[in-house]
Amino acid sequence: MEGGHPLFLHLGREIMIPIRDVIAICPLHPPGKAKDNDAFLQTAQEEGFLTDVAGGKPHSFVVTAEGVYLSSISSTTLAKRADKLRSQIPI
């Protein structure tokens, strides 16, 4: 933690989550995995764990222990941001 404060990953639309809670950052429709991702997201929605912060234009999703977030930010950009934040956490 930098300065004793938790580090947060910005997902879009003023939504931020603690970087320590991020389990996975995934592209919405990667080649060969679109059906699997769609099924996973459908289940997350049915179970009440899906939060859309993409404003209807998702490019990626972020998995945490508490739920799944759809984001309009690309998975590549989110992963770069997450890596930068993680590099600030002392071991």
Side-chain angles (χ1 to χ4, degrees), residues 10-48:
H10 178 252
L11 301 179
R13 295 193 152 209
E14 300 181 26
I15 302 297
M16 298 190 307
I17 57 173
I19 190 64
R20 69 176 180 271
D21 292 350
V22 174
I23 295 170
I25 298 170
C26 306
L28 190 61
H29 293 112
K33 299 288 184 189
K35 287 176 108 175
D36 294 336
N37 285 354
D38 288 345
F40 173 75
L41 294 171
Q42 180 67 34
T43 300
Q45 183 175 21
E46 289 169 0
E47 298 292 326

Side-chain angles (χ1 to χ4, degrees), residues 24-89:
I25 298 170
C26 306
L28 190 61
H29 293 112
K33 299 288 184 189
K35 287 176 108 175
D36 294 336
N37 285 354
D38 288 345
F40 173 75
L41 294 171
Q42 180 67 34
T43 300
Q45 183 175 21
E46 289 169 0
E47 298 292 326
F49 295 112
L50 186 67
T51 303
D52 184 356
V53 296
K57 298 178 183 179
H59 292 286
S60 63
F61 62 96
V62 178
V63 180
T64 72
E66 292 77 32
V68 180
Y69 297 84
L70 291 176
S71 176
S72 60
I73 302 170
S74 77
S75 59
T76 303
T77 299
L78 288 173
K80 286 179 184 177
R81 290 178 184 177
D83 287 344
K84 184 175 180 180
L85 288 169
R86 286 186 181 116
S87 72
Q88 298 175 29
I89 300 172

